[in-house]
Amino acid sequence: AQSVTQLDSQVPVFEEAPVELRCNYSSSVSVYLFWYVQYPNQGLQLLLKYLSGSTLVKGINGFEAEFNKSQTSFHLRKPSVHISDTAEYFCAVSVGGNNRKLIWGLGTSLAVNP
Amino acid sequence: NAGVTQTPKFRILKIGQSMTLQCTQDMNHNYMYWYRQDPGMGLKLIYYSVGAGITDKGEVPNGYNVSRSTTEDFPLRLELAAPSQTSVYFCASSQEITGGGETQYFGPGTRLLVL
């Protein structure tokens, strides 16, 4: 069965430092990959997604992610974080293009400290 | 566009009571979803719909019912509330695109407490 593992449940970081949030998935077929962000007391919104083409995907708010098929990973990065990036980040996978049942990771809580 | 709206924002129910969580989207999306989010557990799909009149079960449908009489509305019904249904409920919608990979748009959530 397909699964998504977010390797860190909590990531504390200082403002202006770089950050990487890790996501691995298991699937033997083609996948689409997503990162969503949830700010406190809000719904989720899309940060970026990989469907095909370039393995480096750029999203909103200066985030980017790299799809690595051999490592089955889709890690999220930002070179310099801001206090406003404090949020919960979710990695998700849709298998074979079937978006009706996204498989979600458990989330990574990013805490940016001054 | 308001996007996806949900009402109420917060509700306290007694065990055995029933209620309907409302969800409306104004983007003319054909797909709609209901999720629940429990602390440290990520999102679990309860029900989804691919169009008016068509609904299907997700991972955790027990204790819930849905209907989709219009494109815009996708209410979630709890018939006999139980403490295990204490959670935050999110409605989402997406528009089918060729080849898949649609973006889901989420509402702000309904926080439900069952006592």
Side-chain angles (χ1 to χ4, degrees):
Chain A
Q2 292 81 21
S3 66
V4 175
T5 302
Q6 292 186 240
L7 295 157
D8 307 290
S9 60
Q10 294 182 334
V11 174
V13 64
F14 287 109
E15 193 173 18
E16 298 183 2
V19 70
E20 178 180 79
L21 306 184
R22 298 179 292 168
C23 174
N24 284 91
Y25 66 93
S26 65
S27 174
S28 58
V29 298
S30 63
V31 295
Y32 294 155
L33 296 153
F34 304 78
W35 276 100
Y36 282 80
V37 61
Q38 184 181 27
Y39 297 106
N41 299 312
Q42 295 186 26
L44 284 72
Q45 65 183 90
L46 182 73
L47 263 182
L48 49 78
K49 63 182 176 182
Y50 171 79
L51 303 183
S52 65
S54 173
T55 56
L56 183 62
V57 181
K58 294 190 183 296
I60 62 172
N61 301 338
F63 283 93
E64 63 181 31
E66 184 153 20
F67 169 55
N68 187 320
K69 188 174 182 179
S70 62
Q71 305 277 343
T72 60
S73 67
F74 191 53
H75 299 336
L76 181 71
R77 301 184 183 99
K78 186 169 182 178
S80 176
V81 293
H82 192 267
I83 297 284
S84 59
D85 292 321
T86 294
E88 192 84 14
Y89 292 80
F90 292 94
C91 182
V93 169
S94 68
V95 178
N98 182 355
N99 188 59
R100 297 161 204 175
K101 292 186 179 181
L102 282 177
I103 301 166
W104 294 86
L106 297 184
T108 296
S109 179
L110 176 65
V112 181
N113 300 298
Chain B
N1 285 352
V4 180
T5 56
Q6 293 182 237
T7 57
K9 290 184 180 178
F10 178 68
R11 182 77 182 267
I12 299 174
L13 280 183
K14 294 182 179 178
I15 294 172
Q17 286 186 321
S18 61
M19 77 165 292
T20 298
L21 283 67
Q22 302 291 347
C23 175
T24 300
Q25 53 96 5
D26 62 0
M27 297 173 283
N28 203 34
H29 287 171
N30 53 346
Y31 293 173
M32 294 188 76
Y33 315 80
W34 274 106
Y35 293 96
R36 59 177 287 171
Q37 183 181 37
D38 300 306
M41 298 298 292
L43 290 164
K44 301 291 185 185
L45 182 65
I46 305 171
Y47 272 95
Y48 66 98
S49 169
V50 301
I54 307 170
T55 63
D56 206 349
K57 296 178 181 179
E59 297 174 75
V60 291
N62 292 343
Y64 307 95
N65 278 300
V66 294
S67 59
R68 183 101 182 265
S69 57
T70 67
T71 299
E72 295 79 18
D73 300 306
F74 191 41
L76 178 72
R77 179 83 177 163
L78 283 71
E79 289 294 348
L80 291 170
S84 61
Q85 293 178 304
T86 293
S87 189
V88 181
Y89 291 84
F90 288 101
C91 179
S93 70
S94 66
Q95 179 60 42
E96 181 183 14
I97 56 176
T98 304
E102 298 89 352
T103 297
Q104 293 190 14
Y105 294 85
F106 285 78
T110 293
R111 192 173 299 270
L112 177 66
L113 179 61
V114 182
L115 299 174

